Amino acid sequence: MKKIISLSLALAVIFSLVGILPAEAKLYADYPFVYEPFEEDNLANQQVEGLISSGGGTSFKWSADGAGGSKGSISVTETGNYSHMHFPINSTSMMIGQKIRYSCWIKPVDIDFNNKKVDFYIYGSSEKGTTGWNTASVSNVALKEGEWVYVQTEKVWDGSLYNNNAVATEGSMNFSCDLTKNMHIEIRIGSGETAKEVPKDSGKTSLTYLLDDVIVEPVNDKSESASTSENGLYKGSALDEQADTSAWQKEGTGPVLEMANEKGPDGSPNYMIVRGPDSGEKVWMEIKQKVAVESNHLYKVKFWAKINSADKGGFWFLGWTGANKLDFPQYAGRSDTSALTKEWKYFEFYMFADHKAVEKQTVNWGIRFFDTPANQHITHANASYSIDSFDIVDMGVVANGDFETSSLPDGVYFKEGKANTDYYKQSAVPFWFENGAKVTQSNEVRPISTYPEGETAYSTKSMLVNTTSQGGYAFQPINIANQVQYKISFWAKGNNLAEDQPIQLRLDRTVDSKEAMDAYEVPDEEILDEGAVLTNDWEKYEFIYSPDFTADVKPASNVIPRLPYLNLVVGENAAGISYFLDDLKIEEYDPNSDPDADKYQFPYAKDVSFSGDEAAGTTMTVDYEFVSDRKECMEGGSVVRLLKKAGDGWVTLAMNETNWTNAEIDIPNDAAGCDIKIEFVPIDEDGLFGTVYSYEIHNVKKAFDVTPSFTKWDETTGEIATSTHIENNSYSLGEQYMVLILAQYDKNGAMVRVDSKLVKVNVGFSENVAFSTVAAADAKSARMFVWSGTTIEDAGERVYSDSVSYTK
């Protein structure tokens, strides 16, 4: 739907002597996220509405001292421990996978903080009601007395919460947030403990700071769907939060884990140091977490690391299975004996288990550091290592299902304890195997016309399968859960087939002999047949699969039905059959689910434009078309807001709801000379936050400036000279005529002479206009006026500036 926010010029206000009033930040209760600029002294109302509160011995009040010269902030006084400010947030708008930006301005009033950290906590609860938190932290903040500092960080919201006392109720310290329950944001400055921040010799029992522009909201970009975010298995994998060190397990007494409180190698706000204990005791220098790694899934392992205590060191990424009963071998992993130096290095490699597994259990996966290459278990006393952004990322059920990966990435492959890639009949297409067939990558892809409107991520590669013997095929091990319905889809095209061929899917579970724990009754193979036919044209094929296997005796919880290998059957896979395959996907399927679930979930806009005079005392026009890819999802409380640049950040001057028709957001007169930014944020009726569109104006000019002054009264020649600076930056005003009037008065105040000068002012006019006359013999003073008109006779309908006077 087309909407125009028309921000018209208020001429009567611009040219009045009092000038235009500053913009007001008009917030509204339906805004789904946290946006608190504190421009108005309305804390009492906000407390009644539940929009702000405090805890841990914290009190607060409004202050007229705002960041960057804005109109207000809140003054927060802490007297207890774990002091914080508290802001509710709409839990239903917190979509998992979104990146959330946390920001605020802080000004310590009476001390420098000892702890230079700022924590933003998302508090929520599980389905069972267990409370937990998810933290985003910023370290090394310059919390100096009397100085405003801008704080900002971003973190992907993964829906997880943490509570070290949750094991009894949740079975783990980490658990999922129930997004149907209330959630709130807490901000903790420094340690949150007054006694630790107040100098012991100061005699103080409290501390005070100002807080402004508290903003917690998503960062969305139409070009980046939240569903593509890499969400890893580890809790606190970014290693940016002090609290997350407790999520890592250690061997025995283990190493000391501490945060560096400085930026990481990837620009993140922190990283973790793994060092020996102060006692000098030699310990295993390893960290790990218990996570479930699925068989037949491709995993990416990634981290930054360095050694601090020596010139060279190594690492061993491994899984502590405890026994070789799992399909993963004991101590499976990857070792590099001399990869670490004193400079940061980035490491990335892959894990893939190729087998017909019947067991699933969690394993301690982690990393061991060492500084003795000849013995991967030894590290010297007082050794120290640094690690950042350490995670294991599940790349999905199908590995390289789009066939875009051209070469086998550096990896670790497992099959019954063996790590030999030749054992798997690895084809030329990474993670695909061949049996009686030749498999290669191809540039033959489906035409652009087959893609949905608006999609631009086109395929560049496909897989070409040529059967070389009867029954030959390409295959991949897959992992599908029991009693879950799936949709298996792909695009395929025959390669000069002599005639159309039936096309089916085969799930092969054939084994030479069953293991003792292979308890489920599963067939050796299943054929999925939808009556589809392969032709020499690109077509999409879909198969619905609903596994439902049972066991005569209920097996252990970690036992699963034997996993299959997936391959296509074209005709009877006779020798010489050739076809192309692309975009193979395996997705959980619910026939009653939302048909829009696979569409881009967030609102955005088309044809966004900003126009107007771009001057103080005027407003701007934003034109846009609201768009939601979700069917029949309408626009909700979209907003327009105005911000001013201040140091390293921005402060809010105004935010108004569009109300579906228009919104006015004035650029105040006192914004002249500043850098400002106007933002438009589309928000849909479900409260989902869309792409932010912004427009910056640097060194804002006044819309219309008229400043007269006297420059000379020469006693010898009698010349009275004036100069009037006139500047017109308003296209809305257009051409203007004004009269400069210079009146002279005698000692009694009677006017003895008057002169005038006509000035034509076009848009863009910027001059100092000189105007002079000769003083009357009895003139003792003079006054300068600037009025509208073309002559003295028709002047005065509008006054352009205050008059100025000069006394002889």
Side-chain angles (χ1 to χ4, degrees):
M1 97 193 30
K2 192 75 173 176
K3 298 183 63 179
I4 299 177
I5 305 172
S6 181
L7 310 176
S8 59
L9 201 63
L11 298 180
V13 177
I14 291 176
F15 296 116
S16 70
L17 298 183
V18 296
I20 192 167
L21 295 175
E24 294 182 355
K26 300 177 182 177
L27 301 182
Y28 54 97
D30 291 337
Y31 189 71
F33 298 95
V34 177
Y35 205 101
E36 292 288 353
F38 305 116
E39 292 294 276
E40 300 177 4
D41 184 5
N42 61 356
L43 290 182
N45 292 335
Q46 288 188 285
Q47 287 179 274
V48 171
E49 294 173 4
L51 298 178
I52 185 172
S53 60
S54 63
T58 306
S59 60
F60 59 95
K61 61 183 179 180
W62 189 78
S63 169
D65 181 2
S70 60
K71 293 194 299 181
S73 64
I74 58 170
S75 175
V76 182
T77 298
E78 299 182 355
T79 58
N81 291 336
Y82 306 109
S83 302
H84 62 267
M85 293 303 300
H86 176 127
F87 306 91
I89 194 164
N90 187 341
S91 59
T92 58
S93 298
M94 292 288 290
M95 180 170 287
I96 293 174
Q98 277 186 306
K99 183 183 291 184
I100 305 295
R101 178 179 295 152
Y102 307 81
S103 65
C104 66
W105 285 86
I106 304 167
K107 178 181 176 180
V109 172
D110 47 10
I111 63 166
D112 292 350
F113 277 67
N114 291 325
N115 190 311
K116 308 299 183 183
K117 190 158 70 93
V118 177
D119 293 316
F120 298 87
Y121 291 87
I122 295 179
Y123 269 84
S125 57
S126 69
E127 289 185 3
K128 298 178 182 179
T130 305
T131 300
W133 58 88
N134 188 308
T135 315
S137 300
V138 185
S139 300
N140 298 321
V141 181
L143 296 172
K144 296 181 179 180
E145 179 182 349
E147 297 182 10
W148 281 107
V149 61
Y150 181 66
V151 181
Q152 176 183 301
T153 188
E154 295 177 357
K155 183 180 179 181
V156 173
W157 165 239
D158 61 4
S160 69
L161 299 176
Y162 173 83
N163 188 328
N164 54 356
N165 295 317
V167 176
T169 55
E170 302 294 333
S172 171
M173 292 183 289
N174 305 312
F175 51 94
S176 297
C177 181
D178 184 348
L179 298 180
T180 66
K181 296 182 178 180
N182 292 336
M183 296 172 62
H184 68 269
I185 302 295
E186 291 186 5
I187 300 179
R188 186 173 299 165
I189 313 299
S191 63
E193 299 184 43
T194 306
K196 291 184 178 180
E197 300 296 345
V198 175
K200 293 182 179 179
D201 58 355
S202 67
K204 295 179 179 292
T205 58
S206 66
L207 58 86
T208 300
Y209 57 88
L210 301 183
L211 187 64
D212 199 7
D213 269 32
V214 177
I215 302 173
V216 179
E217 62 186 17
V219 182
N220 287 329
D221 187 332
K222 176 60 176 71
S223 63
E224 296 182 3
S225 172
S227 62
T228 63
S229 300
E230 287 192 350
N231 294 319
L233 304 183
Y234 284 151
K235 165 66 180 174
S237 60
L239 297 173
D240 291 338
E241 308 156 24
Q242 182 69 36
D244 283 336
T245 59
S246 61
W248 296 94
Q249 301 175 39
K250 300 176 288 185
E251 185 71 20
T253 56
V256 175
L257 307 181
E258 58 189 14
M259 304 310 295
N261 292 323
E262 63 182 36
K263 284 192 174 182
D266 55 357
S268 58
N270 217 332
Y271 61 90
M272 189 165 72
I273 296 173
V274 182
R275 65 173 179 84
D278 295 332
S279 64
E281 177 189 1
K282 293 176 68 173
V283 298
W284 295 112
M285 300 294 285
E286 62 191 35
I287 58 172
K288 54 194 175 184
Q289 287 190 31
K290 183 172 285 188
V291 294
V293 176
E294 303 279 0
S295 300
N296 299 348
H297 272 219
L298 176 65
Y299 289 91
K300 177 166 70 176
V301 182
K302 57 179 184 176
F303 58 91
W304 290 82
K306 67 175 181 174
I307 184 171
N308 305 315
S309 54
D311 292 330
K312 286 280 187 179
F315 69 85
W316 189 6
F317 173 81
L318 69 163
W320 288 264
T321 64
N324 201 11
K325 67 174 185 176
L326 197 74
D327 289 295
F328 292 107
Q330 186 177 17
Y331 300 130
R334 171 200 169 102
S335 176
D336 198 321
T337 60
S338 59
L340 301 183
T341 68
K342 287 192 172 182
E343 301 296 324
W344 283 107
K345 283 187 178 180
Y346 178 69
F347 299 93
E348 182 178 294
F349 49 90
Y350 291 78
M351 297 194 306
F352 185 78
D354 162 25
H355 50 228
K356 295 171 180 174
V358 298
E359 185 181 9
K360 172 184 176 180
Q361 71 181 50
T362 55
V363 177
N364 283 311
W365 288 95
I367 194 165
R368 176 181 295 170
F369 294 114
F370 52 87
D371 55 12
T372 307
N375 190 327
Q376 298 180 18
H377 303 290
I378 296 177
T379 190
H380 289 93
N382 302 317
S384 175
Y385 305 86
S386 296
I387 188 168
D388 195 22
S389 302
F390 180 31
D391 214 346
I392 303 174
V393 180
D394 189 343
M395 305 302 286
V397 178
V398 180
N400 198 20
D402 57 7
F403 309 105
E404 297 293 318
T405 301
S406 300
S407 59
L408 193 66
D410 196 6
V412 181
Y413 301 87
F414 310 116
K415 181 163 184 172
E416 298 172 358
K418 300 177 182 180
N420 182 347
T421 54
D422 292 335
Y423 183 82
Y424 310 111
K425 309 167 190 173
Q426 176 72 233
S427 75
V429 179
F431 307 112
W432 287 87
F433 307 98
E434 54 192 26
N435 181 17
K438 182 67 175 177
V439 178
T440 57
Q441 196 175 50
S442 172
N443 293 323
E444 176 72 23
V445 293
R446 59 191 174 102
I448 294 176
S449 60
T450 62
Y451 290 85
E453 182 181 355
E455 186 172 339
T456 58
Y458 305 131
S459 175
T460 63
K461 302 290 183 182
S462 66
M463 183 170 71
L464 175 60
V465 180
N466 291 292
T467 57
T468 55
S469 60
Q470 178 65 37
Y473 54 86
F475 69 95
Q476 183 176 121
I478 63 169
N479 185 311
I480 47 182
N482 193 27
Q483 297 177 336
V484 175
Q485 193 168 34
Y486 291 92
K487 178 191 290 185
I488 306 174
S489 63
F490 57 88
W491 286 79
K493 171 189 173 182
N495 185 24
N496 297 318
L497 295 175
E499 58 184 9
D500 295 348
Q501 297 288 335
I503 184 169
Q504 303 164 313
L505 280 179
R506 177 167 60 197
L507 300 174
D508 176 18
R509 292 184 173 85
T510 304
V511 291
D512 294 334
S513 60
K514 290 181 63 174
E515 297 181 28
M517 65 174 58
D518 193 350
Y520 285 90
E521 294 296 326
V522 297
D524 285 343
E525 70 171 33
E526 292 175 282
I527 299 294
L528 308 185
D529 189 349
E530 300 286 349
V533 175
L534 182 68
T535 71
N536 287 320
D537 295 318
W538 281 105
E539 293 186 36
K540 185 175 184 180
Y541 299 88
E542 293 183 346
F543 296 81
I544 304 301
Y545 178 54
S546 304
D548 188 10
F549 301 118
T550 59
D552 291 338
V553 178
K554 185 178 180 180
S557 59
N558 62 303
V559 174
I560 60 176
R562 192 185 322 140
L563 297 178
Y565 289 174
L566 172 72
N567 67 273
L568 266 66
V569 179
V570 177
E572 296 180 355
N573 284 351
I577 289 288
S578 180
Y579 58 90
F580 299 97
L581 184 65
D582 202 3
D583 290 333
L584 175 64
K585 299 178 181 178
I586 300 178
E587 303 166 299
E588 292 188 18
Y589 174 68
D590 179 359
N592 300 315
S593 64
D594 181 1
D596 298 325
D598 60 345
K599 295 182 178 179
Y600 185 76
Q601 295 295 299
F602 308 107
Y604 57 101
K606 291 182 179 179
D607 303 325
V608 180
S609 65
F610 296 81
S611 60
D613 291 334
E614 301 187 9
T618 69
T619 53
M620 295 290 291
T621 298
V622 183
D623 294 326
Y624 70 95
E625 181 180 353
F626 180 87
V627 181
S628 174
D629 291 342
R630 296 190 299 151
K631 185 178 179 181
E632 296 181 355
C633 188
M634 308 298 288
E635 186 171 9
S638 299
V639 297
V640 177
R641 55 199 184 197
L642 176 69
L643 304 96
K644 182 177 73 171
K645 184 69 174 177
D648 295 330
W650 297 85
V651 294
T652 303
L653 299 181
M655 183 170 85
N656 300 334
E657 188 178 9
T658 63
N659 291 322
W660 287 75
T661 54
N662 57 52
E664 295 184 356
I665 191 159
D666 300 319
I667 302 175
N669 278 338
D670 57 15
C674 301
D675 294 342
I676 65 172
K677 177 168 61 174
I678 300 166
E679 293 184 337
F680 164 65
V681 187
I683 300 175
D684 68 21
E685 60 185 341
D686 294 332
L688 291 184
F689 189 97
T691 302
V692 176
Y693 301 88
S694 63
Y695 185 78
E696 295 188 19
I697 304 172
H698 300 284
N699 191 21
V700 174
K701 297 179 180 180
K702 292 182 179 179
F704 204 92
D705 186 25
V706 178
T707 308
S709 63
F710 283 88
T711 58
K712 181 172 59 175
W713 190 319
D714 193 311
E715 294 285 352
T716 303
T717 64
E719 181 186 11
I720 302 174
T722 67
S723 177
T724 303
H725 177 73
I726 303 174
E727 185 174 349
N728 181 9
N729 297 306
S730 175
Y731 289 86
S732 303
L733 286 175
E735 185 179 81
Q736 298 287 304
Y737 288 91
M738 61 182 63
V739 179
L740 308 184
I741 302 171
L742 182 54
Q744 302 176 38
Y745 304 88
D746 62 17
K747 63 180 181 179
N748 298 317
M751 188 169 64
V752 295
R753 178 170 176 167
V754 62
D755 297 276
S756 63
K757 180 176 181 177
L758 174 65
V759 182
K760 180 181 179 182
V761 180
N762 296 317
V763 176
F765 184 97
S766 180
E767 291 184 19
N768 292 316
V769 179
F771 176 32
S772 61
T773 188
V774 177
D778 52 351
K780 298 298 181 182
S781 63
R783 185 175 292 273
M784 180 76 172
F785 303 89
V786 185
W787 290 349
S788 64
T790 56
T791 65
I792 292 180
E793 287 75 18
D794 65 6
E797 180 179 344
R798 179 177 298 136
V799 177
Y800 285 99
S801 78
D802 292 340
S803 61
V804 294
S805 60
Y806 186 94
T807 301
K808 183 177 173 181

